[in-house]
Amino acid sequence: MNLIKSLHKFVIFSIPLFLMSGPFLPDLFMSLSCIFFLFLTFRERKYFYYKNIFFKIFIIWCLYCIIVSLTSSNILLSLESSLFHFRFGIFALSIWYALDEYKNFVKNIFIIFLISFLILIFDGFIQYLFGQNLLGYKYDGNRLSSLFGDELIMGSYLSRFLPVLFGLFFLLKIKNIYFVAPFFGLILLVDIIVFLSGERSAFFYVLLSTFTLVVLLKNYKLIRLLTIILSLISIYLITSYDNSIKKRMINTTVEQFNLIGETKEDISKINAFTPQHETIFYSAYLLFLQNPLTGIGPKNFREECKTLKNIDSFKNRFVSQNLDAGSLTFCSTHPHNTYLQLLTETGIIGFIPVFSLFLFITYKFLIHFINIFKLKYVLNDSLICFYTALFVSLWPLVPSGNFFNNWLNIIYFFPVGFVLYEHAKK
């Protein structure tokens, strides 16, 4: 039994580090953590972990996705995403179990996240300053990848786990100024390196999580506000002499969203998203209309979008913006927006539970915010941070990755285990 528990701890501790290596190892170790958790809880008869409302709804949702896959036009392709998706919910329970059972688990996982962040920050700045990182991956002047190589997701990793790092910091109740000062110095560097990564969605996540924490936290909110101000000043100075990153993060954004036009008519046609994303969103919308209730099946967008006809006229709205119509495509591996993907691939039925979770967290935040004026704090600081990690990932008005992607789902479900643990403590 002790050996199994040791292995269980080891595989969980390895996941934040292995997430930097690609999708295979973190998925393998996440699955192993689920197997160890199932063995331990059934051996110890701790069935209460499976009786919470989150897990029950999640399992029903997973079964629904499997049924949708079985009725789709590409059954085997769709089942690749839906058949074993339930393991991510078990992974969240596995985190909860580890928090209950293992002494110093919070401290150790916090140290591992610190090491991961430090490695990416150091290696990212090396890549930015010298043109390649420690492993020889080149910097093209637009996007930093650090250890992720061809996968341009360093900013996504840091921005999505940043609230988790804060949550662990609050769980440990660290007060020592000799640690607090360097910790927030690290956060300042995270802000800067995410911007330098060239991932605009990731930098938006940093700003969104910072705003949420500054508004809702009881402790350290002013220090976090100071660090984001200092990081924005640093970013301004960097973009003053680095035209490539300025072009990627500022100039291209302004052009793609059509925020500056030559005439009033041009300016009135501001794009809600980039033209590249809007064309994909449009094809997702058309596919949703074909089967709005149950969708076309998980992972099937990449195939079904090829069947759409007579939709090139949608590109005409971008002609006045001097864009190359040939660069705009209606097809991709996924719709690049969480809720459009859910509506398209799982229909309204599959969309409702996920969007309800976002609304639930928003409601919790609103109640907490209202009570702050009464000098009451409904949520503790650590729970706010873990909720924020989910809130950021579920934010609807931003392009996003594939909702059924294994790598992303590990990041999605990591804070869920801490949320369940915090609620169980109450």
Side-chain angles (χ1 to χ4, degrees), residues 314-368:
F314 182 77
K315 296 180 182 179
N316 293 335
R317 69 185 300 266
F318 303 113
V319 170
S320 63
Q321 300 175 22
N322 298 318
L323 292 170
D324 178 15
S327 67
L328 304 180
T329 176
F330 290 95
C331 262
S332 182
T333 54
H334 57 92
H336 290 273
N337 179 274
T338 294
Y339 296 107
L340 269 177
Q341 181 175 5
L342 287 169
L343 285 169
T344 303
E345 296 186 345
T346 66
I348 295 173
I349 296 175
F351 161 85
I352 288 175
V354 180
F355 189 59
S356 296
L357 176 59
F358 174 76
L359 294 178
F360 172 77
I361 296 171
T362 304
Y363 168 77
K364 285 286 188 179
F365 281 170
L366 287 174
I367 295 299
H368 179 84

Side-chain angles (χ1 to χ4, degrees), residues 189-253:
L189 293 176
V190 170
D191 298 338
I192 296 173
I193 201 67
V194 170
F195 181 84
L196 294 178
S197 74
E199 297 176 52
R200 291 175 293 187
S201 294
F203 189 64
F204 172 78
Y205 291 150
V206 168
L207 296 178
L208 178 61
S209 64
T210 299
F211 174 80
T212 305
L213 297 180
V214 167
V215 170
L216 300 179
L217 288 179
K218 181 179 181 180
N219 301 296
Y220 295 111
K221 61 170 61 185
L222 293 180
I223 297 179
R224 178 57 183 136
L225 180 60
L226 176 62
T227 57
I228 193 65
I229 291 173
L230 291 175
S231 65
L232 291 175
I233 293 173
S234 301
I235 288 169
Y236 172 77
L237 295 174
I238 292 171
T239 54
S240 296
Y241 76 86
D242 188 341
N243 288 327
S244 62
I245 193 66
K246 179 182 179 182
K247 181 179 179 181
R248 164 68 187 171
M249 295 297 286
I250 299 175
N251 296 352
T252 302
T253 302

Side-chain angles (χ1 to χ4, degrees), residues 41-207:
T41 50
F42 279 90
R43 178 71 178 270
E44 298 168 358
R45 297 185 179 181
K46 293 183 177 180
Y47 306 123
F48 66 90
Y49 285 106
Y50 307 96
K51 296 180 180 180
N52 65 86
I53 187 66
F54 156 77
F55 188 69
K56 291 177 180 179
I57 293 175
F58 177 72
I59 290 298
I60 293 172
W61 183 82
C62 288
L63 291 173
Y64 165 78
C65 288
I66 293 174
I67 293 172
V68 171
S69 293
L70 292 173
T71 57
S72 69
S73 59
N74 297 281
I75 295 175
L76 293 180
L77 177 67
S78 188
L79 285 174
E80 288 179 9
S81 291
S82 62
L83 188 58
F84 296 105
H85 196 78
F86 65 87
R87 69 191 190 279
F88 295 107
I90 297 175
F91 173 61
L93 301 185
S94 176
I95 298 290
W96 176 11
Y97 176 88
L99 288 162
D100 280 342
E101 294 293 322
Y102 306 140
K103 185 179 180 181
N104 295 326
F105 178 82
V106 173
K107 179 181 177 181
N108 291 330
I109 199 72
F110 178 67
I111 292 172
I112 289 168
F113 270 113
L114 278 180
I115 293 172
S116 301
F117 272 56
L118 285 168
I119 290 173
L120 289 177
I121 291 169
F122 178 75
D123 190 69
F125 275 110
I126 291 292
Q127 189 178 40
Y128 176 72
L129 294 172
F130 300 102
Q132 65 179 33
N133 77 334
L134 297 175
L135 297 181
Y137 294 128
K138 304 290 184 180
Y139 173 48
D140 63 2
N142 291 313
R143 307 283 294 271
L144 290 175
S145 62
S146 184
L147 301 179
F148 293 98
D150 295 334
E151 296 290 334
L152 302 172
I153 51 178
M154 178 188 70
S156 180
Y157 178 98
L158 292 172
S159 61
R160 293 176 188 274
F161 271 140
L162 185 59
V164 175
L165 188 68
F166 267 111
L168 294 169
F169 174 81
F170 284 116
L171 273 181
L172 289 171
K173 300 178 180 179
I174 299 172
K175 302 292 184 182
N176 189 331
I177 188 63
Y178 295 107
F179 182 86
V180 171
F183 175 76
F184 279 93
L186 172 73
I187 301 305
L188 187 151
L189 293 176
V190 170
D191 298 338
I192 296 173
I193 201 67
V194 170
F195 181 84
L196 294 178
S197 74
E199 297 176 52
R200 291 175 293 187
S201 294
F203 189 64
F204 172 78
Y205 291 150
V206 168
L207 296 178

Side-chain angles (χ1 to χ4, degrees), residues 4-38 87-88 90-92 94-95 98 105 109 112 406-407 410 414:
I4 299 298
K5 288 192 172 185
S6 297
L7 290 172
H8 184 224
K9 281 190 292 184
F10 172 75
V11 296
I12 293 177
F13 289 152
S14 301
I15 289 172
L17 294 169
F18 282 149
L19 279 167
M20 297 187 291
S21 70
F24 175 73
L25 286 177
D27 191 27
L28 172 63
F29 276 61
M30 183 274 297
S31 300
L32 287 174
S33 76
C34 295
I35 294 171
F36 293 141
F37 166 75
L38 290 170
R87 69 191 190 279
F88 295 107
I90 297 175
F91 173 61
S94 176
I95 298 290
F105 178 82
I109 199 72
I112 289 168
N406 292 344
W407 187 88
I410 294 173
F414 209 100

